[in-house]
Amino acid sequence: MRVLAEEKGQGTRGEGRGRLRATSRGCRPCLNTRTMTVWAEPVSPGACPPVPHLWFLAECHYRLVQQCFLGDVRSTLLSKPAVAPQENIDSPVPRPSPLAPSFILLLTLTFATGCWTSNDPAPLVVLASGDTGGRIVPCGCTSNQSGGLPRRATLVERLRGEAQVVVVEVGGAPAGTSVYDRIKFEAILRGEKAMGIAAHNIGEAEAAFGPDVLMELANQTGVPFISANVLDAEGQPVAPAVRLIEKAGRRLAVIGVLSQRFAAPGLTVRPPREAVLETLREVKGKFDTAIVLAYLPEDELRELAQALPEVDVVLGGPTGQPIVPKRQGPTLLSSATNEGKFVIRLDLPEKGPAGAWSGSVVELDESFADDSCQVENVKQFYEELGRRDLTPEETSLVKALPTGLPDDYRVAGTTSCFECHEEEAAVWRKSRHAHAWQSLEKKGAHVDPACQRCHTVGYGLPGGFRSVTRSPKLTNVGCEDCHGPSLAHVKKPETYKTTYGAGATDRCTVCHDQENSPRFDYSTYWPQIQHGVPAAEGTEPKTKMSETDKGKNP
């Protein structure tokens, strides 16, 4: 675990180490003793570890009976009221008396093992993520990549061995509103639910889906969205303004707000500070600690924290880079951002004067193992992508092409180049470009459009790769990924040059960017695939992509 920085306060109230929570979503469970989660979806045998704790078996039995025979009376759905019901996240679900024997067994085993209830005094940790941007896992193109739900879940599990944990999301979890983005967002929400998410603030990307889709997703996944200042076309709240949570004898009010700059069509966004103060008045006397999840640009975020001495913590994003927890007056300010690579950990000790939080930015690097049940969640995500077989138009990964393009501005396919370029073809066959698709298949990521765009020929271009089943002959990195759609050149090579011509060298950094290929250096990479006329001096690609390059299709 890499702790980037830390800010400490002066003592405060604490919260108890709680009994690890089990949730239930079906009758065929995958039991994970680390997350204490019962999964509804079918899982592969051995996907999760064995269950050695009898008290947890009793808890799981209790949850399954409640789910399968009584209905999930505690499911948290998106609804219109301004204040969500007060909830003790780790407390047992109330149930009818016929199940009393099982409940007594559960209590006996729980106390016998020394597990504390969530209202016992103990340390409290608030763990905040934000601005995930659809990054459910690192792509794996290079080592030392950070982020991903499997690592985040591992951190949550570690912390639950030390303290009571409240998991929150500041917003910005999806990357867009396309079919592909929604499927990925659903997987992210499933992962959050498995981690015991307490509140998910509506950020810019979430708001773009609109209230109807958010309602559907909340009902589908059980993730509790919040927003104190986002209203629908009729002026009604799209989600509860606040979540009231009891943890280890503490009463938390978690409030969500969105910047007015990020208002989506059909939605009204009220001033954040006004909405927070109004919500605090509505729940006066029902909380001890107020936490605001604020999806605001950095300048607005700092202004909000300065203007809200009434709250204990303001957690924000998007700010480009994380903000180390730091006090602005009596309020602690921090930000979790950058595609979920970093999370914010805030600690409240068991005893001490009020208001003394300590905090740190934690990078989810390779020191965190992948949580097995989150890995299963990613696997289910890939399986869904395989069933859907999405085209580029069903993603937000490519931009619309200009109108009026010539009919022969099309991808011809790599093999169409071989007849005239035999020596170049021989070099290509020996290169890693010729086997790029295999590297995806090994991980099961070949169904993911985010990976396909840099491992196929002409993704999103006329005649280029469409999907796994539609374009099986356009896999791997081919000639036209660097030289451009070349059907016109293939038809009349003496008349038409390849599309990108001398600019082909600049195409390298479309995929070999800082995120996916941080060690890329043209002078060492080019000799590995050198073909045709050697590159002239001064034709090395830019070290950073221009805005024009970023808009190009790979």
Side-chain angles (χ1 to χ4, degrees), residues 4-5 128 130-131 298 301-302 316-325 333-344 360-363:
L4 301 183
D131 217 20
E298 186 169 349
L301 184 66
R302 293 186 181 279
T319 54
Q321 293 296 327
I323 295 178
V324 175
L333 170 66
S334 190
S335 172
T337 188
N338 197 352
E339 297 184 318
K341 300 174 187 176
F342 305 89
V343 291
I344 302 301
S360 59
V361 178
V362 181
E363 181 177 3

Side-chain angles (χ1 to χ4, degrees), residues 20-37:
L20 295 181
R21 175 188 178 211
T23 62
S24 63
R25 295 193 292 136
C27 301
R28 188 185 178 197
C30 160
L31 304 179
N32 184 334
T33 58
R34 299 186 302 160
T35 58
M36 302 307 171
T37 301

Side-chain angles (χ1 to χ4, degrees), residues 283-295:
V283 297
K284 184 178 180 180
K286 298 180 180 180
F287 68 93
D288 307 310
T289 299
I291 299 173
V292 175
L293 308 181
Y295 196 83

Side-chain angles (χ1 to χ4, degrees), residues 463-525:
F465 181 87
R466 301 282 298 157
S467 72
V468 175
T469 62
R470 296 177 181 91
S471 313
K473 295 182 179 180
L474 291 175
T475 57
N476 298 311
V477 177
C479 306
E480 290 162 292
D481 287 315
C482 300
H483 297 281
S486 300
L487 182 60
H489 174 68
V490 170
K491 289 181 176 179
K492 296 181 179 181
E494 70 284 350
T495 304
Y496 299 105
K497 299 294 184 181
T498 55
T499 304
Y500 299 146
T505 53
D506 286 341
R507 300 296 299 171
C508 300
T509 51
V510 172
C511 289
H512 290 281
D513 58 16
Q514 186 61 36
E515 174 65 33
N516 298 312
S517 187
R519 299 181 183 86
F520 175 77
D521 176 68
Y522 184 81
S523 63
T524 57
Y525 276 52

Side-chain angles (χ1 to χ4, degrees), residues 74-325:
R74 184 171 168 258
S75 60
T76 305
L77 305 180
L78 186 64
S79 55
K80 294 292 185 181
V83 181
Q86 182 165 325
E87 179 178 359
N88 184 329
I89 293 178
D90 290 336
S91 63
V93 181
R95 58 199 183 113
S97 57
L99 296 181
S102 296
F103 184 54
I104 293 173
L105 173 61
L106 171 62
L107 289 178
T108 302
L109 291 172
T110 299
F111 285 114
T113 56
C115 295
W116 303 337
T117 66
S118 59
N119 283 327
D120 291 333
L124 170 67
V125 172
V126 173
L127 192 71
S129 57
D131 217 20
T132 300
R135 190 183 175 93
I136 187 170
V137 288
C139 75
C141 291
T142 185
S143 59
N144 300 320
Q145 290 184 315
S146 299
L149 296 187
R151 294 175 181 175
R152 191 188 304 176
T154 295
L155 174 59
V156 171
E157 293 159 9
R158 289 184 188 178
L159 294 176
R160 283 183 174 145
E162 307 169 8
Q164 285 289 334
V165 180
V166 175
V167 181
V168 296
E169 165 65 36
V170 175
T177 58
S178 69
V179 174
Y180 169 65
D181 291 313
R182 173 163 175 170
I183 294 171
K184 183 175 283 190
F185 187 30
E186 290 172 0
I188 291 173
L189 293 176
R190 289 196 305 269
E192 289 182 352
K193 182 66 175 177
M195 284 184 258
I197 188 80
H200 184 128
N201 182 42
I202 295 176
E204 179 184 16
E206 288 89 350
F209 276 105
D212 292 340
V213 172
L214 290 177
M215 173 75 78
E216 183 180 345
L217 290 172
N219 291 342
Q220 176 183 329
T221 65
V223 168
F225 290 108
I226 62 170
S227 182
N229 69 332
V230 179
L231 310 178
D232 63 17
E234 298 176 354
Q236 298 299 313
V238 301
V242 59
R243 291 273 291 174
L244 298 176
I245 302 163
E246 287 191 9
K247 298 282 287 186
R250 297 188 177 279
R251 302 178 302 167
L252 309 179
V254 182
I255 304 168
V257 289
L258 174 68
S259 169
Q260 291 182 291
R261 297 185 199 176
F262 299 145
L267 296 178
T268 299
V269 179
R270 299 171 55 208
R273 180 175 181 272
E274 173 187 308
V276 170
L277 292 176
E278 179 179 309
T279 303
L280 289 175
R281 288 193 293 270
E282 291 176 355
V283 297
K284 184 178 180 180
K286 298 180 180 180
F287 68 93
D288 307 310
T289 299
I291 299 173
V292 175
L293 308 181
Y295 196 83
L296 280 68
E298 186 169 349
D299 57 338
E300 291 186 23
L301 184 66
R302 293 186 181 279
E303 290 175 7
L304 182 67
Q306 193 71 40
L308 282 177
E310 298 88 350
V311 305
D312 298 275
V313 176
V314 172
L315 291 168
T319 54
Q321 293 296 327
I323 295 178
V324 175

